[in-house]
Amino acid sequence: GDLDKVVNLVLSLSGRLARVETALGSLGPHAPAEDKLALREKQRLLVAQLEDAKELKEHVGRREEAVGAMVARYLPAEHLQDYQHFVKMKSALIAEQRELEEKIKLGQEQLRCLRESL
């Protein structure tokens, strides 16, 4: 459960940071200084939060290793391999699901913009 939450947190912060950086890059040279300053501050905060989330993910990873070592004492080899595969794939699947959700959201936004432009 903690792994799910931490992976989702890292992915969420990464996505938000990417959107802020895109917004910063799209600001023209004549954009108000307040807008640039606000986006840079938001970027700074998101970078700090992302670093904290990555540290939290490392902590959860170490805890996962400790739990895995305990589980290894009680499970037969074939079940242990299944458990290890499950834990490894769960993070990958969460990341893939999040990426697909973002692509769907982007596609819906693009479709909305196309409809408005017609």
Side-chain angles (χ1 to χ4, degrees):
D2 289 346
L3 181 62
D4 289 353
K5 291 173 188 170
V6 172
V7 168
N8 277 322
L9 177 62
V10 169
L11 293 173
S12 176
L13 290 170
S14 296
R16 290 174 58 199
L17 181 59
R19 285 191 293 278
V20 166
E21 289 174 347
T22 299
L24 266 172
S26 67
L27 286 179
H30 303 296
E34 302 86 42
D35 291 350
K36 290 180 184 179
L37 187 62
L39 284 173
R40 284 192 184 113
E41 179 62 17
K42 187 179 270 192
Q43 180 186 33
R44 186 188 66 74
L45 288 172
L46 286 169
V47 166
Q49 289 175 340
L50 185 58
E51 289 303 314
D52 290 344
K54 286 179 180 179
E55 287 178 22
L56 188 58
K57 187 173 184 273
E58 289 174 12
H59 174 71
V60 168
R62 287 190 299 273
R63 207 172 72 200
E64 175 188 322
E65 289 176 16
V67 169
M70 242 190 310
V71 168
R73 289 186 283 182
Y74 299 103
L75 288 180
E78 63 192 36
H79 291 141
L80 180 61
Q81 286 178 341
D82 289 343
Y83 168 79
Q84 290 168 337
H85 178 73
F86 169 77
V87 171
K88 186 165 72 171
M89 290 307 296
K90 189 168 184 173
S91 292
L93 290 173
I94 291 169
E96 188 174 335
Q97 178 185 8
R98 186 67 174 227
E99 184 180 330
L100 290 172
E101 288 171 354
E102 289 292 323
K103 286 180 180 181
I104 289 169
K105 194 183 296 183
L106 176 63
Q108 289 171 338
E109 187 176 316
Q110 289 173 338
L111 184 59
R112 183 184 54 76
C113 289
L114 283 172
R115 286 183 179 151
E116 287 177 3
S117 69
L118 294 176

